[in-house]
Amino acid sequence: DPASGIRTTLEHKEAERFYRQELGWPTVTFDCVDWNGLRLALEPKGDPFRLWLSKQVNGFCGTQSMVAHWDKTRDGSCPDCGMREDAGHLMRCPSLSRTALLQEQVEDLVRWMDAND
């Protein structure tokens, strides 16, 4: 289907424009991403997963700082440590309980990967 190839090329050009102009990525950084491998990895996934992933990597996930945009009773702070909770904070929160939860989830993922090699 020629339309698929055309779409892929146009999407790549738009992604390059966005990452370089909007996010300030250098060309070398953009070129280091295996975009075709990413496309192949995401192709069999459903739309809900792709939507979740795009929200995570772009910072539009359900963090306190994002919720604070529409719920003015929230101040955007992490309920565990009090720091500003954005997407990156989810992986760096110094809270012992949140760190233990992250470690547990990583271990679960490693076990799953080993079992499904």
Side-chain angles (χ1 to χ4, degrees):
D1 175 23
S4 175
I6 293 169
R7 269 194 305 277
T8 299
T9 300
L10 292 174
E11 288 166 357
H12 183 84
K13 291 292 182 193
E14 176 56 23
E16 183 174 14
R17 184 207 63 76
F18 175 78
Y19 282 98
R20 291 187 63 222
Q21 292 178 10
E22 302 292 327
L23 300 182
W25 282 26
T27 301
V28 67
T29 302
F30 184 84
D31 290 343
C32 283
V33 176
D34 182 0
W35 296 105
N36 190 49
L38 179 61
R39 182 184 57 78
L40 292 173
L42 293 177
E43 213 165 61
K45 307 290 184 208
D47 286 340
F49 176 81
R50 289 193 299 263
L51 178 61
W52 170 83
L53 182 61
S54 67
K55 286 181 175 183
Q56 286 297 120
V57 300
N58 289 297
F60 289 100
C61 49
T63 61
Q64 292 299 315
S65 62
M66 189 53 66
V67 172
H69 287 290
W70 64 84
D71 181 349
K72 298 306 178 191
T73 65
R74 307 284 181 94
D75 65 0
S77 7
C78 173
D80 293 312
C81 73
M83 296 171 66
R84 182 175 182 276
E85 185 186 66
D86 57 14
H89 179 78
L90 297 176
M91 302 300 278
R92 297 187 308 264
C93 180
S95 162
L96 294 179
S97 62
R98 193 172 281 191
T99 302
L101 177 62
L102 175 61
Q103 184 63 39
E104 179 184 319
Q105 291 173 338
V106 168
E107 289 168 3
D108 287 347
L109 176 61
V110 168
R111 278 192 292 277
W112 178 87
M113 290 170 63
D114 287 341
N116 295 281
D117 187 31

